[in-house]
Amino acid sequence: QVQLVESGGSSVQPGGSLRLACVATGRIFKLHAMAWYRQAPGEQRDLVARISIRDNRTYADSVKDRFTISRDDAGSVTTVYLQMNNLRPEDTAVYYCNAPDLLRTGNMPWGQGTQVTVSS
């Protein structure tokens, strides 16, 4: 059984930093790229950062040079991190992680997400 649990969201002021974590339970995640997504109120869910099993990283233009994705596949779970620096009000959203390739099967669940609010 697969499960995704995100944590680390909070309310911060512009310019602040947060580190999100996602614990992905299920050995299948160790074989696939992982990604962070975000969804603002009234908006679609967008991919913001992706990391392959070989640690190749890609980012949305809006977060490049501010966010860093990493992963830890040691142990029985896969943990995916998102270090977010110099946060802006437009980064406010619920953040989720998942495996992009597995999502295409239509059978992957989403976690509950973690809320990030950037406001002065």
Side-chain angles (χ1 to χ4, degrees), residues 8-12 16-20 66-68 82-87 95 115-118:
S10 184
S11 294
V12 296
S17 298
L18 284 174
R19 189 189 195 206
L20 307 183
R66 299 188 298 121
F67 289 11
T68 303
L82 187 67
Q83 178 66 44
M84 306 188 296
N85 297 327
N86 192 20
L87 283 161
Y95 285 70
Q115 175 71 48
V116 173
T117 302
V118 185

Side-chain angles (χ1 to χ4, degrees), residues 2 4 18 23 25 30-31 33 35 38 43-45 48 53-56 69 76 78 87 89 98 112 116-117 120:
V2 298
L4 298 152
L18 284 174
V23 176
T25 303
K30 299 182 184 296
L31 305 175
R38 68 185 181 188
E43 303 288 335
Q44 65 180 16
R45 186 152 30 197
V48 296
I53 58 174
R54 292 186 174 87
D55 287 344
N56 293 316
I69 188 171
S76 60
T78 292
L87 283 161
N98 218 309
Q112 83 288 349
V116 173
T117 302
S120 55

